[in-house]
């Protein structure tokens, strides 16, 4: 049986070799060579330059904040949804993916319309006699955009994991005298770890690497590492430097993977 | 407590749907620019259906999303079954590989695929977009199914085998129903991701082929055509209505799946 | 099982890769790569109808994004419409085909001598490019939101306009503003001058509301900002949408640019490409395009056909450039120059 099942993995192994591994090798090749094709570490060490280091630090900070916010917002929501019975939940879950059917670029542009100086939210605020909200073109707007765009990626895996928890276990805990808080921290939270890992990965990574959100909502005043890489590829057409910085980015992502792998072991 | 829960869900919904509402309002805006209200109109809805390029882009987007999501779901499901039985280390390696497209910046994935296709001498077009979309969709499917897979009790499967079921029967009768929520959400995720992707498509598309995303991106240059808002509104309302219909229909199967 | 699966995968990929032949016109196709919404779609239909050549049309956002795609040969294009300095770069990289003007009679017949002469700066001998649109970079401002007329770049450093300024989000244009303000050439490679320009841009950053490319137009129309750096071609349209807006060519001088048609060296449909460029140079077609995109046309015959005298002699669309003595065009700075500018720009952006 084992043999047969391993063969089932063959199509995907082939696929990933062809479309994931080989392209990745190409990135490494570009990242570790200069224009003449000679080996160099320059493209990777370039991360230490003033502009790059600042952009990387800011990206890490903003994506971390966004991930935490997404988690804090999504966990109670996923619990509420998982607690619902019957045919309601599927519908509600779909409602969460539904916004993604409006194009990503359009949705983010819509936030611009909402947040602008003369935008909708400020229109409402001034109508109510409140001071205007000045967050467009700042890091706050970028965090908002990240949370908005990636929240569904946190909700869905959390819901998937929470819905699977056997209610009998929770009831057993209660019967054994655990209060609500104890049940949560000792039963529900540990059992939802696979969902948390998926969710955190699905939010942190796109947030770390985005460049569209920072361009549209940050007014290009806040430079993230994603913007730098994008510009190296599309504007400066220095693929070697772009690849080198991507490798640096991958290192941070590998750190993320190691942390989650450790968590999984526990 | 129940009331607080409702308020909480409602607030999140408001957050998620505020921009959507804005886009819908914009689709009825008589002024061509985003930031000026020029009165109510439905003219964009009329001109939308005469705009061949937008309609073509729509068809292309849906076709690619459907095909890539289907392919990714099939490959992803099979791989999950296979991976569940692998040795720990082999599985960890394969999962690591799976994570790569998700963990990489989209732009790196896009560029690396572009480099690959160039070196293979493939002509850029429908095929290259589809291959790329399948590639970045598979990890989403796997990530949606894996948590379910880990919670699946293998002894149930073995029990089915002991009772005389073949592997295939056991898979379809025992394992699949348990995985179904994961598979379905994986498929939906893949479909929406494909629908929503811009960056990777941008680098792997050829001349004259546009998805809605790439079309919109080029339109940013001169301001979004209001027909785009109209189209998004139509797509959104259609999906919403479909959801209501599916939800209203007393279909037992749906309940089981969801 | 394994065989079945591999077969399935192989079959699938065959279908996917094979089933994408694009339809072609009776006289073949021409593949055009142009700026976003930089042509009246009706003219493309007319071209198809008259010649039986199918137009496959694709768009790019900036010169810089277009270049890698062409260089990599990822997609085979025939006709492209880059700007001056980028044409220079493409010539240096041996990407362009020398034009045979006997196949493009409308070009020499209709396009004004001044534009050919101006093109010499980046295309010695006019061998590779046919001008399509031209213009200046200037300041668009909202009369109701500023106290005095805006006439100089230096006013973009005025504290009173904090959070009301929109800068261009592209290396060359942003540095051009700073360099001109400081009295340097916009093509300078002098390290001291570049450092000063960089510092000026960093000093300006707190006053800038956003760095944008395309959205200057929308934001200015909506009254979101008071002052924006913009291409002259957008000015006519924005004024039409919002009469409070005024366009000015700053007194320190500015950039005059030309976007021109070129044919790629490895273009698969060279003859059709020539026909396409010739068609675009026809006076009636150039006029249609001008009316649609509102970017100044170098096509003098077409300009004479403009009925509205106010537009035909508009100082925005057709400024008398002889009254300015400090106008310049971008030149290609070489690979090292490009890298240097990019590095400095990143420092500004991440500050």
């Amino acid at each position: 049986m084992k043999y047969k099942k391993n063969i089932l993995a063959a199509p995907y192994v082939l696929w990933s070799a062809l479309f994931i591994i080989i392209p990745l090798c190409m990135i490494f090749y570009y990242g570790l060579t200069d224009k003449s094709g000679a080996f160099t570490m320059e493209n990777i060490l370039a991360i230490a330059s003033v502009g790059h280091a600042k952009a990387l630090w800011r990206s890490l900070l903003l994506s971390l904040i966004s991930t935490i916010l997404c988690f804090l917002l999504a966990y109670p929501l996923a619990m509420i949804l998982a607690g619902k019975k019957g045919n309601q939940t599927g519908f509600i879950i779909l409602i969460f993916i539904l916004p993604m059917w409006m194009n990503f670029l359009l949705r983010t542009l819509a936030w611009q319309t909402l947040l602008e100086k003369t935008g909708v939210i400020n229109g409402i605020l001034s109508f109510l006699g409140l001071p205007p909200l000045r967050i467009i073109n700042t890091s706050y707007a970028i965090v908002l955009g990240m949370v908005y765009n990636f929240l569904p990626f946190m909700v869905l895996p959390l819901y998937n994991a929470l819905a699977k928890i056997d209610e009998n276990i929770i009831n057993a805990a209660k019967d054994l005298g655990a209060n609500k808080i104890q049940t949560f921290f000792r039963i529900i939270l540990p059992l939802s770890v696979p969902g948390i890992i998926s969710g955190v990965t699905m939010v942190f990574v796109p947030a770390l690497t985005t460049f569209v959100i920072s361009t549209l909502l940050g007014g290009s005043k806040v430079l993230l590492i994603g913007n730098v890489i994008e510009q190296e590829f599309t504007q400066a057409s220095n693929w070697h430097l772009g690849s080198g910085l991507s490798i640096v980015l991958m290192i941070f992502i590998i750190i993320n993977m190691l942390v989650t792998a450790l968590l999984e072991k526990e | 407590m129940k009331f607080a829960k409702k308020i909480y869900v409602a607030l999140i919904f408001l957050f998620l749907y505020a921009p959507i509402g804005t886009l819908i309002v914009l689709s009825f805006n008589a002024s061509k620019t985003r930031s000026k209200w020029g009165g109510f109109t439905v003219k964009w809805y009329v001109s939308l259906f005469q705009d061949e390029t937008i309609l073509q882009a729509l068809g292309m987007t849906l076709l690619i999303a459907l095909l890539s999501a289907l392919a990714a779901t099939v490959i992803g499901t099979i791989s999950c079954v296979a991976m569940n039985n692998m040795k720990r280390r082999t599985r960890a390696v394969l999962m690591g590989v799976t994570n790569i497209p998700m963990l990489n910046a989209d732009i790196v994935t896009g560029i690396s695929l572009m480099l690959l296709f160039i070196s293979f001498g493939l002509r850029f077009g429908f095929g290259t977009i589809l291959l790329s979309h399948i590639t970045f969709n598979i990890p989403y499917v796997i990530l949606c199914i894996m948590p379910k897979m880990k919670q699946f009790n293998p002894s149930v499967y073995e029990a089915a085998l002991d009772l005389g079921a073949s592997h295939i029967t056991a898979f379809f009768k025992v394992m699949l129903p348990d995985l179904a929520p994961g598979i379905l959400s994986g498929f939906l995720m893949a479909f929406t991701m494909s629908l929503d992707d811009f960056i990777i498509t941008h680098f792997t598309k050829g001349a004259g082929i546009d998805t809605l995303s790439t079309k919109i991106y080029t339109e940013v240059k001169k301001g979004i055509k209001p027909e785009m808002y109209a189209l998004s509104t139509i797509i959104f309302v259609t999906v919403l209505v479909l959801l209501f219909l599916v939800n209203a229909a007393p279909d037992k199967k749906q309940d089981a799946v969801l | 099982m394994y065989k079945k699966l591999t077969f399935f995968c192989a079959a699938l990929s065959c279908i996917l890769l094979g089933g994408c032949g694009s339809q072609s016109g009776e006289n073949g196709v021409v593949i055009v790569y142009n700026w976003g919404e930089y042509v009246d779609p009706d003219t493309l239909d007319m071209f198809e109808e008259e010649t039986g050549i199918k137009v496959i049309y694709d768009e790019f956002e900036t010169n810089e994004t277009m270049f890698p795609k062409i260089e990599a040969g990822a997609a085979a294009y025939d006709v492209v419409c880059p700007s001056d300095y980028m044409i220079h770069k493409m010539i240096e990289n041996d990407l362009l085909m020398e034009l045979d003007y006997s196949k493009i009679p409308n070009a020499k017949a209709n396009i004004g001598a001044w534009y050919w002469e101006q093109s010499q700066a980046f295309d010695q001998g006019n061998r590779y490019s046919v001008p399509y649109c031209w213009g200046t970079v200037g300041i668009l401002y909202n009369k109701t939101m500023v106290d005095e007329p805006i006439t100089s770049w230096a006013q973009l450093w005025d504290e009173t306009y904090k959070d009301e300024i929109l800068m261009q989000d592209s290396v060359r244009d942003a540095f051009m503003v700073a360099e001109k303000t400081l009295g340097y050439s916009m093509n300078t490679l002098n390290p001291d001058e570049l450092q000063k320009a960089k510092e000026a841009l960093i000093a300006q950053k707190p006053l800038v509301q956003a760095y944008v490319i395309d959205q200057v137009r929308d934001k200015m129309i909506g009254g979101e900002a008071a002052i924006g750096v913009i291409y002259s071609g957008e000015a006519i349209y924005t004024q039409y949408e919002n009469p409070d807006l005024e366009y000015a060519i700053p007194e320190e001088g500015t950039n005059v640019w030309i976007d021109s048609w070129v044919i790629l060296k490895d273009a698969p449909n060279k003859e059709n490409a020539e026909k396409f460029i010739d068609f675009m140079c026809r006076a009636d077609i150039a006029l249609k395009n001008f009316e649609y995109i509102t970017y100044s046309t170098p096509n003098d015959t077409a300009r004479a056909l403009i009925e509205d005298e106010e537009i035909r002699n508009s100082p925005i669309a057709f400024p008398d450039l002889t009254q300015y003595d400090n106008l310049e065009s971008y030149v290609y700075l070489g690979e090292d120059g490009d890298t240097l500018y990019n590095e400095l720009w990143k420092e500004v952006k991440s500050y």
Side-chain angles (χ1 to χ4, degrees):
Chain A
M1 173 181 153
K2 281 243 158 104
Y3 172 70
K4 242 187 168 172
K5 283 217 167 150
N6 276 342
I7 263 175
L8 282 180
Y12 180 56
V13 169
L14 277 178
W15 188 285
S16 50
L18 193 57
F19 293 108
I20 300 177
I21 304 292
I22 296 180
L24 201 66
C25 293
M26 289 183 159
I27 294 285
F28 272 91
Y29 170 75
Y30 271 94
L32 294 171
T33 54
D34 61 15
K35 288 209 166 136
S36 64
F39 174 82
T40 175
M41 287 298 281
E42 218 173 276
N43 298 317
I44 291 174
L45 297 176
I47 192 66
S49 79
V50 190
H52 297 156
K54 262 187 187 160
L56 178 66
W57 169 242
R58 200 170 283 140
S59 300
L60 284 169
L61 192 69
L62 294 189
S63 51
L64 200 66
I65 294 174
S66 306
T67 310
I68 293 170
L69 281 177
C70 273
F71 177 73
L72 292 180
L73 285 173
Y75 206 94
L77 192 75
M79 277 182 74
I80 295 172
L81 296 182
K84 288 215 157 128
K85 297 276 175 314
N87 63 359
Q88 278 286 311
T89 42
F91 178 64
I92 291 174
I93 289 295
L94 286 177
I95 290 280
F96 274 91
I97 323 185
L98 192 56
M100 293 178 66
W101 288 61
M102 284 271 204
N103 185 277
F104 163 59
L105 295 165
L106 285 182
R107 269 180 291 141
T108 314
L109 270 177
W111 270 112
Q112 222 181 46
T113 311
L114 285 170
L115 294 173
E116 265 169 353
K117 270 203 297 194
T118 55
V120 177
I121 290 178
N122 278 335
I124 296 170
L125 286 176
S126 73
F127 179 77
L128 296 172
L130 295 166
L133 188 68
R134 282 280 175 94
I135 69 163
I136 187 76
N137 302 334
T138 64
S139 300
Y140 298 106
I142 295 175
V143 169
L144 184 124
M146 286 174 175
V147 172
Y148 174 77
N149 273 304
F150 306 133
L151 186 63
F153 298 153
M154 184 68 95
V155 175
L156 294 181
L158 283 181
Y159 168 77
N160 259 341
L162 286 171
K164 194 74 191 179
I165 296 175
D166 194 337
E167 243 177 74
N168 291 327
I169 302 176
I170 296 168
N171 289 335
K174 278 183 187 155
D175 289 346
L176 293 169
N179 64 24
K180 272 195 170 166
I181 295 167
Q182 280 172 324
T183 321
F184 177 77
F185 280 106
R186 309 193 68 156
I187 308 287
I188 299 179
L189 199 59
L191 281 175
S192 63
V193 164
I196 297 175
I197 289 172
S198 298
V200 166
T201 313
M202 276 165 146
V203 173
F204 180 73
V205 171
L208 183 66
T209 59
T210 186
F211 67 92
V212 178
I213 295 173
S214 46
T215 306
L216 291 181
L217 295 179
S220 289
K221 281 181 83 180
V222 185
L223 195 75
L224 301 184
I225 191 71
N227 296 78
V228 176
I229 294 176
E230 184 250 351
Q231 280 164 21
E232 287 310 326
F233 278 119
T234 60
Q235 290 177 28
S237 67
N238 188 347
W239 294 5
H240 298 274
L241 181 55
S243 303
L245 295 178
S246 310
I247 295 172
V248 175
L249 204 56
M250 273 184 237
I251 295 172
F252 281 90
I253 284 156
I254 289 168
I255 293 174
N256 175 40
M257 274 166 71
L258 288 178
V259 170
T260 50
L262 275 177
L263 277 175
E264 206 164 339
K265 243 185 196 165
E266 277 183 18
Chain B
M1 194 61 192
K2 237 188 166 174
F3 185 67
K5 275 184 187 172
K6 274 196 175 142
I7 295 270
Y8 186 74
V9 175
L11 278 178
I12 298 242
F13 271 46
L14 180 69
F15 175 60
L16 286 177
Y17 282 85
I20 312 271
T22 314
L23 290 175
I24 294 176
V25 171
L26 283 173
S27 75
F28 295 108
N29 183 2
S31 158
K32 233 187 152 181
T33 45
R34 188 164 54 83
S35 43
K36 208 171 97 184
W37 178 252
F40 181 87
T41 180
V42 292
K43 67 178 170 188
W44 309 123
Y45 287 85
V46 179
S47 56
L48 166 67
F49 288 100
Q50 288 145 9
D51 194 323
E52 218 177 284
T53 54
I54 291 187
L55 294 179
Q56 259 175 14
L58 171 69
M60 188 57 69
T61 311
L62 290 176
L63 188 66
I64 286 173
L66 190 68
L67 288 178
S68 68
L70 274 176
T73 309
V74 172
I75 298 176
T77 310
I78 294 171
S79 319
C80 276
V81 173
M83 268 193 262
N84 199 40
N85 281 279
M86 278 178 181
K87 275 188 213 130
R88 234 192 135 94
R89 190 165 296 170
T90 334
R91 186 174 69 198
V93 169
L94 201 56
M95 275 310 277
V97 172
T98 305
N99 278 328
I100 292 172
M102 296 197 49
L103 299 176
N104 249 331
D106 275 358
I107 184 151
V108 180
T109 310
I111 293 262
S112 68
L113 284 166
M114 176 173 119
L115 293 172
L116 179 84
F117 294 144
I118 290 173
S119 63
F120 279 11
L122 287 184
R123 221 186 62 201
F124 279 64
F126 183 77
T128 49
I129 301 179
L130 190 60
L131 287 174
S132 320
H133 277 228
I134 295 173
T135 304
F136 77 74
N137 272 339
I138 294 174
Y140 285 103
V141 175
I142 292 182
L143 273 177
C144 281
I145 299 177
M146 262 334 225
K148 293 267 163 203
M149 197 74 203
K150 280 181 190 161
Q151 286 158 346
F152 177 73
N153 185 352
S155 40
V156 182
Y157 185 83
E158 271 151 33
L161 293 184
D162 288 346
L163 291 170
S166 69
H167 278 295
I168 293 174
T169 322
F171 171 74
F172 279 106
K173 295 258 165 170
V174 180
M175 201 184 249
L176 199 61
D178 251 36
L179 297 182
I183 294 176
L184 186 73
S185 56
F187 174 80
L188 284 174
M189 194 73 134
F191 189 82
T192 25
M193 290 311 294
S194 164
L195 210 61
D196 221 28
D197 174 71
F198 157 66
I199 299 156
I200 294 172
T201 316
H202 181 66
F203 281 100
T204 52
K205 84 186 189 74
I209 288 190
D210 263 314
T211 64
L212 284 177
S213 292
T214 58
K215 190 94 203 110
I216 289 168
Y217 189 70
T218 45
E219 269 181 16
V220 171
K221 166 86 184 155
K222 284 222 132 192
I224 303 284
K225 274 192 198 164
E227 284 91 346
M228 260 323 166
Y229 299 131
L231 176 64
S232 310
T233 306
I234 291 176
I235 294 176
F236 180 78
V237 171
T238 313
V239 176
L240 195 68
V241 168
L242 276 178
L243 279 184
F244 268 110
L245 287 181
V246 167
N247 199 52
D251 189 342
K252 277 283 158 220
K253 241 187 202 162
Q254 272 296 328
D255 293 351
V257 168
L258 295 169
Chain C
M1 196 69 184
Y2 173 58
K3 270 192 178 159
K4 257 188 205 163
L5 276 169
T6 41
F7 176 74
F8 173 75
C9 290
L12 191 71
S13 48
C14 282
I15 294 165
L16 302 182
L17 296 173
C20 56
S22 53
Q23 75 266 53
S24 112
E26 54 188 301
N27 289 319
V29 297
V30 59
I31 309 169
V32 182
Y33 200 26
N34 196 2
W35 295 85
E37 283 202 49
Y38 213 44
V39 70
D40 181 348
D42 286 350
T43 60
L44 299 182
D45 292 343
M46 288 165 71
F47 177 74
E48 290 186 342
E49 221 164 87
E50 281 182 30
T51 60
I53 298 167
K54 164 114 184 124
V55 179
I56 298 177
Y57 190 76
D58 204 9
E59 297 176 341
F60 58 85
E61 201 203 6
T62 65
N63 284 306
E64 284 73 17
T65 54
M66 173 273 300
F67 184 78
K69 279 211 158 187
I70 301 284
E71 194 189 27
Y77 295 103
D78 294 310
V79 185
V80 190
C81 183
S83 307
D84 31 44
Y85 69 100
M86 189 50 72
I87 293 175
H88 192 182
K89 184 172 179 179
M90 292 171 88
I91 293 171
E92 300 241 311
N93 282 280
D94 198 23
L95 292 169
L96 301 184
M97 179 189 102
E98 218 166 305
L99 298 174
D100 175 1
Y101 283 99
S102 68
K103 302 270 183 58
I104 317 172
N106 284 329
K108 292 280 184 188
N110 293 336
I111 288 165
W114 186 85
Y115 307 101
W116 291 112
E117 201 181 302
Q118 197 72 20
S119 299
Q120 299 265 10
F122 55 88
D123 175 12
Q124 194 83 59
N126 299 121
R127 294 189 310 174
Y128 298 97
S129 64
V130 177
Y132 173 58
C133 284
W134 69 283
T136 54
V137 181
I139 299 177
L140 188 73
Y141 63 96
N142 191 321
K143 280 182 282 190
T144 61
M145 294 167 79
V146 295
D147 313 326
E148 74 245 279
I150 305 293
T151 55
S152 94
W153 292 124
Q155 280 164 297
L156 295 181
W157 272 260
D158 187 338
E159 290 275 348
T160 42
Y161 302 122
K162 184 172 160 52
D163 221 16
E164 295 287 355
I165 297 168
L166 296 174
M167 279 289 283
Q168 280 286 322
D169 187 17
S170 68
V171 192
R172 297 300 299 268
D173 289 332
F175 269 87
M176 183 273 289
V177 171
E179 285 159 353
K180 277 288 156 192
T181 312
L182 295 166
Y184 308 144
S185 159
M186 63 182 72
N187 296 312
T188 182
L189 284 171
N190 178 328
D192 290 341
E193 294 184 353
L194 282 172
Q195 275 301 324
K196 290 219 177 81
K198 180 196 90 180
E199 279 156 22
L201 287 172
I202 288 176
Q204 185 202 24
K205 202 175 172 189
L207 308 180
V208 175
Q209 184 189 91
Y211 296 93
V212 281
I213 305 175
D214 327 304
Q215 296 168 325
V216 184
R217 204 172 75 152
D218 269 8
K219 283 182 190 277
M220 290 304 293
I221 292 171
E224 185 58 21
I227 304 172
V229 178
I230 201 169
Y231 296 109
S232 55
E234 307 281 8
I236 296 178
Y237 172 80
T238 48
Q239 278 181 329
Y240 170 75
E241 287 283 316
N242 184 346
D244 291 336
L245 298 176
E246 194 70 61
Y247 179 79
I249 296 178
E251 58 201 18
E252 294 100 329
T254 187
N255 165 236
V256 181
W257 50 266
I258 299 179
D259 291 345
S260 305
W261 295 114
V262 296
I263 299 178
L264 295 177
K265 191 160 215 172
D266 50 4
N269 312 291
K270 291 201 172 84
E271 272 172 39
N272 291 347
E274 286 163 342
K275 281 184 194 149
F276 180 82
I277 295 180
D278 191 48
F279 186 80
M280 284 292 144
C281 292
R282 229 169 71 184
D284 59 323
I285 300 301
L287 177 67
K288 249 179 114 51
N289 277 326
F290 170 72
E291 283 169 350
Y292 186 84
I293 65 176
T294 70
Y295 272 79
S296 322
T297 174
N299 196 310
D300 281 351
T301 325
R303 183 180 166 192
L305 293 175
I306 299 171
E307 277 174 21
D308 188 340
E309 193 172 329
E310 221 169 280
I311 290 180
R312 197 190 324 137
N313 296 316
S314 151
I316 296 172
F318 303 103
D320 176 14
L321 295 178
T322 51
Q323 55 174 304
Y324 302 91
D325 55 356
N326 41 18
L327 300 180
E328 270 185 279
S329 293
Y330 295 135
V331 294
Y332 171 50
L333 301 168
E335 218 159 274
D336 293 341
D338 274 357
T339 313
L340 183 60
Y341 267 74
N342 279 321
E343 281 307 309
L344 294 171
W345 181 229
K346 270 187 285 191
E347 281 181 43
V348 173
K349 291 288 286 295
S350 67
Y351 187 77

